[in-house]
Amino acid sequence: MNAEKLSNRLQVVADLIPDHSRIADIGSDHAYLPCYVVKKGRVPFAIAGEVVEGPFQSALRQVKQEGLTDKIDVRKGDGLEVISPNEVDCITIAGMGGALISNILEAGKEKLLGVKRLILQPNISAISIRQWLIENNWELINEKILEEDGKTYEVLVAERGIPLKPYSTDKNKKLLMGPFLITNKNHVFEKKWLEEKRNWENILAQISTANKTEDILQKINELKEKIKMVEEVLDIENS
Ligand code: SAM
């Protein structure tokens, strides 16, 4: 991967950025994503935010090497602290856990003024993001799922709107598995949830032999509930 040729995962994120947006890519590492969209002429200005010194230096080097220092500002800082309100209209956060992405959004809420679109690519726990979006009046407007190098990635797109609109029925299933992804149910989606179901069944088998404390009983119920939801969505006969 480089600033000419993104990974499939980052390419999906890049394709969802509206043309002519001013963007901030938070947790930018080598700044490949902002370099790519600026070089393509799709974005006039970008901020690459990084909290760790090594990746921050890599981003600085990359932007300099590409001759893009007048169009991409590399800033060191935690989450959204690198941007000011009304400075950008689209934010991308990719390659982290869903809980971390939600924490970054929560901690920097006041910086979201003027931001029209969030493009979020959690490696795990997309549910944390869907929950945060609902609680903060962002409407999920699209989702993608893809597989690369044996790993599954989800990409969530949100804009300000009616947060519960995508969850008008079957809220819990849609929170867990994604309202748009459930509707399309492609091969990657099915594979991901069959694997998750298998993992939960293994955990269930293990903890079912443990002492039935209240915590264990609660965990067993949660796992059974999640397995049931996956079976219903994937149309699997209950075994
Ligand atoms: N976004 C790139 C991608 O998707 O390929 C890089 C992903 S890399 C796995 C995650 C990056 O996020 C790391 O460089 C890490 O230092 C950075 N990061 C983690 N927490 C952060 C935070 N709170 N603020 C800014 N950057 C953060």
Side-chain angles (χ1 to χ4, degrees), residues 1 9-10 25-29 49-52 55 77-79 94-96 100 104 121:
M1 176 168 60
R9 176 181 60 82
L10 282 184
D25 182 43
I26 304 299
S28 201
D29 198 351
E50 230 328 309
V51 74
V52 175
D78 187 356
M96 304 177 203
L100 176 55
I104 287 174
Q121 184 271 298

Side-chain angles (χ1 to χ4, degrees), residues 1 7 9-10 13 25-34 49-56 75-82 92-97 100-101 103-104 121 123 153:
M1 176 168 60
S7 62
R9 176 181 60 82
L10 282 184
V13 174
D25 182 43
I26 304 299
S28 201
D29 198 351
H30 290 81
Y32 290 144
L33 178 64
E50 230 328 309
V51 74
V52 175
E53 181 63 20
F56 168 70
R75 301 182 187 170
K76 189 167 176 203
D78 187 356
L80 303 187
E81 78 177 23
V82 297
T92 57
I93 312 181
M96 304 177 203
L100 176 55
I101 293 177
N103 288 343
I104 287 174
Q121 184 271 298
N123 291 344
Y153 300 104

Side-chain angles (χ1 to χ4, degrees), residues 4-19:
E4 306 284 338
K5 175 92 183 87
L6 295 177
S7 62
N8 293 341
R9 176 181 60 82
L10 282 184
Q11 185 66 55
V12 170
V13 174
D15 291 345
L16 292 162
I17 297 173
D19 283 348

Side-chain angles (χ1 to χ4, degrees), residues 199-212:
N199 281 342
W200 294 332
E201 285 166 343
N202 287 338
I203 298 169
L204 195 54
Q206 280 167 24
I207 62 172
S208 294
T209 61
N211 264 349
K212 301 285 185 300

